[in-house]
């Protein structure tokens, strides 16, 4: 009975503002993901710098991309490791 | 030294010109020396919204290209002796002004005025770049619709890229009864998405149409709800803390019923 009333009062179907907000969230993930090549390059350089603290990587063979499909955007990186650095802390 | 405030949106028709006219008039009514600058070259409108369309001799392009001096192109308002309009050119295109020329103009305006309100054209092309060129602050207008919020997001990104940080948001044409029944995004939904600071909420209001018909900005109409919203925005622009207007609709029978069965 309560369920019937609640459906009648429009609680069941998602309100259109909820739909609007969810659609906006998705479309903005895409819009904002179209970042400039310059920024992508800076990100790449920063990543290389951080990772190099821990391992030696093959920078020339590094692949780095923002991939998009309908529901999500992913940062996909393929970073060949040449050599691991010695972990002094672990030995201490 | 005055301040240059650009009113922009990305999407067309969301209320930039209405907002420029009302904020500018509101600041003038508070005693500040104000100039309204219409940068929508080819589609000038601020003159009619202000009711000053019959007084135009020179325009923005005449000033930037050196055809006349700034003083000659400024149109005096009918209501306030400290309010002026610099109209857009109607017969030229947006490329007849450059961002560099706008920066030079902005410097000159800052010497003369407490505030210059720049009405930006829709879009993200040259007209937008001209409008923001000399600005110190930006106000972004959007309506509670998916397309307007999306465009506002893009504009906010472009403003930041142009080093115009901390733009403030005006949500225009909100309809409290639609918000209440869940068919319009509310203030917090939009702030959630855009993540910028709110400077005002203006309700959908017939008095905007009436005041535009007359060429009398609603901010001067004490009985107008949108006018009240713009009066509050004007004070916030001056740095005052002002509460948001109460836009609640009185609860009806359905609400009482929903409350009774525990849905609200
Ligand atoms: N709060 C409101 N309530 C009712 N009508 C409104 C409101 N705000 C704006 N309007 C109406 O919406 C229309 C568009 O407004 P306005 O010209 O200010 O938008 P704009 O962003 O400057 O448009 P453009 O992009 O073409 O320059 C006008 O007819 C105006 O009267
Ligand atoms: Mg306009």
């Amino acid at each position: 009975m309560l369920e019937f009333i609640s459906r009648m009062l429009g609680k069941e179907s998602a309100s259109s503002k909820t739909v609007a907000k969810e659609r906006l969230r998705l479309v903005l993930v895409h819009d904002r993901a179209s970042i400039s090549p310059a920024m992508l390059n800076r990100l790449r350089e920063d990543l290389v710098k951080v990772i190099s603290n821990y391992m030696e990587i093959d920078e020339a063979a590094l692949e780095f991309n923002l991939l998009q499909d309908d529901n999500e955007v992913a940062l996909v990186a393929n970073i060949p490791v040449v050599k691991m650095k010695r972990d002094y802390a672990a030995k201490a | 030294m005055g301040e240059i405030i650009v009113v922009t949106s990305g999407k067309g028709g969301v209320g930039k010109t209405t907002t420029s006219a009302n904020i500018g008039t509101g600041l003038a009514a508070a005693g500040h020396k104000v100039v309204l600058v219409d940068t929508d070259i080819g589609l000038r409108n601020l003159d009619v919204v202000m009711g000053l369309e019959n007084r135009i001799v020179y325009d923005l392009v005449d000033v930037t290209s050196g055809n006349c001096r700034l003083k000659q192109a400024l149109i005096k308002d009918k209501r306030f002796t400290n309010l002026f309009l610099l109209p857009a050119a109607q017969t030229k295109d947006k490329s007849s002004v450059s961002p560099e020329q706008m920066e030079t103009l902005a410097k000159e305006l800052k010497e003369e005025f407490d505030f210059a309100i720049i009405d930006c054209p829709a879009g993200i092309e040259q007209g937008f770049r001209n409008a923001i060129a000399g600005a110190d602050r930006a106000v972004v207008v959007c309506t509670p619709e998916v397309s307007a919020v999306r465009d506002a997001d893009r504009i906010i990104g472009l403003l930041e890229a142009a080093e115009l940080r901390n733009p403030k948001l005006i949500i225009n044409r909100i309809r409290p009864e639609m918000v209440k029944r869940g068919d319009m995004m509310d203030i917090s939904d939009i702030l959630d998405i855009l993540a910028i600071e709110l400077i005002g909420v203006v309700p959908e209001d017939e008095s905007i149409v009436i005041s535009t018909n007359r060429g009398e900005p609603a901010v001067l109409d004490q009985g107008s709800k949108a006018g009240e919203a713009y009066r509050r925005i004007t004070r916030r622009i001056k740095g005052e803390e002002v509460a948001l207007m109460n836009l609640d609709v009185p609860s009806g029978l359905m609400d009482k019923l929903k409350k009774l069965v525990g849905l609200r």
Side-chain angles (χ1 to χ4, degrees):
Chain A
M1 178 59 188
L2 201 65
E3 196 191 316
F4 167 74
I5 295 177
S6 100
R7 190 167 311 146
M8 208 185 74
L9 294 177
K11 179 84 184 201
E12 286 293 283
S13 62
S15 63
S16 72
K17 83 131 187 201
T18 316
V19 178
K21 205 179 167 190
E22 179 56 17
R23 290 178 61 213
L24 254 173
R25 196 187 60 75
L26 280 176
V27 81
L28 288 184
V29 167
H30 279 247
D31 285 1
R32 290 177 186 171
S34 47
I35 59 178
S36 68
M39 182 166 149
L40 205 62
N41 232 348
R42 280 204 307 278
L43 174 58
R44 179 194 166 114
E45 281 164 17
D46 284 350
L47 259 184
V48 167
K49 220 183 291 164
V50 170
I51 294 173
S52 303
N53 289 332
Y54 302 89
M55 54 198 81
E56 196 176 302
I57 60 178
D58 181 0
E59 254 190 79
L62 183 146
E63 287 170 39
F64 187 68
N65 261 312
L66 267 184
L67 298 183
Q68 314 190 14
D69 71 20
D70 284 349
N71 291 310
E72 57 179 23
V73 176
L75 176 65
V76 179
N78 184 0
I79 309 171
V81 176
V82 179
K83 198 162 45 178
M84 297 296 289
K85 295 207 168 163
R86 243 183 234 104
D87 188 353
Y88 293 104
K91 279 178 193 131
Chain B
M1 192 73 163
E3 245 190 311
I4 314 269
I5 304 176
V6 62
V7 179
T8 181
S9 70
K11 186 174 161 65
V14 297
K16 294 176 293 296
T17 301
T18 306
T19 296
S20 302
N22 279 288
I23 291 179
T25 306
L27 286 168
H32 299 284
K33 192 174 181 198
V34 179
V35 60
L36 294 164
V37 183
D38 189 347
T39 62
D40 202 346
I41 295 171
L43 290 169
R44 98 174 152 213
N45 264 328
L46 196 47
D47 55 339
V48 288
V49 174
M50 292 296 295
L52 299 173
E53 66 275 16
N54 293 326
R55 308 182 174 198
I56 297 177
V57 183
Y58 294 109
D59 58 45
L60 175 66
V61 176
D62 289 321
V63 175
T64 52
S65 60
N67 273 351
C68 72
R69 281 174 299 114
L70 174 62
K71 285 241 160 65
Q72 294 175 286
L74 290 174
I75 296 163
K76 282 199 190 71
D77 182 67
K78 301 182 213 173
R79 292 139 292 213
F80 297 100
T81 53
N82 51 331
L83 179 58
F84 297 83
L85 170 72
L86 181 53
Q90 188 65 321
T91 53
K92 317 237 168 52
D93 62 70
K94 307 220 150 81
S95 59
S96 28
V97 178
S98 71
E100 293 72 34
Q101 288 174 325
M102 285 301 292
E103 273 175 41
T104 311
L105 174 65
K107 285 199 191 100
E108 200 176 345
L109 293 176
K110 280 203 230 192
E111 302 281 318
E112 264 324 291
F113 297 92
D114 300 325
F115 292 97
I117 310 295
I118 315 282
D119 182 16
C120 179
I124 55 173
E125 309 302 327
Q126 170 133 21
F128 168 74
R129 288 199 301 274
N130 285 340
I132 67 168
D136 303 303
R137 294 204 254 170
V139 169
V140 175
V141 183
C142 84
T143 56
E145 291 165 288
V146 175
S147 53
V149 176
R150 179 195 198 175
D151 289 1
D153 186 78
R154 181 106 167 85
I155 285 295
I156 292 163
L158 292 172
L159 288 172
E160 279 176 1
E163 313 256 289
L164 254 177
R165 310 239 178 253
N166 300 322
K168 302 285 189 291
L169 183 69
I170 291 181
I171 301 174
N172 187 22
R173 306 194 79 152
I174 199 140
R175 294 172 60 177
E177 70 300 342
M178 287 192 76
V179 170
K180 193 161 195 199
R181 62 168 195 261
D183 276 330
M184 182 175 273
M185 285 185 283
D186 62 25
I187 300 167
S188 66
D189 292 327
I190 297 171
L191 292 181
D192 225 25
I193 289 166
L194 294 179
I196 66 171
E197 201 180 309
L198 186 70
I199 199 168
V201 179
V202 182
E204 170 82 27
D205 189 350
E206 284 183 7
S207 74
I208 291 289
V209 180
I210 297 168
S211 68
T212 307
N213 286 343
R214 298 214 165 103
E216 296 277 351
V219 71
L220 299 176
D221 176 354
Q222 295 299 322
S224 156
K225 276 202 153 177
E228 172 62 24
Y230 280 120
R231 284 192 289 278
R232 292 181 187 225
I233 291 170
T234 303
R235 288 167 57 197
R236 289 187 200 110
I237 285 185
K238 297 195 298 167
E240 284 177 49
E241 293 234 2
V242 189
L244 278 181
M245 227 168 112
N246 182 12
L247 293 173
D248 283 348
V249 280
S251 24
L253 184 63
M254 270 316 232
D255 287 295
K256 289 186 184 134
L257 193 57
K258 282 187 192 178
K259 220 177 234 152
L260 208 68
V261 296
L263 288 176
R264 314 199 79 215

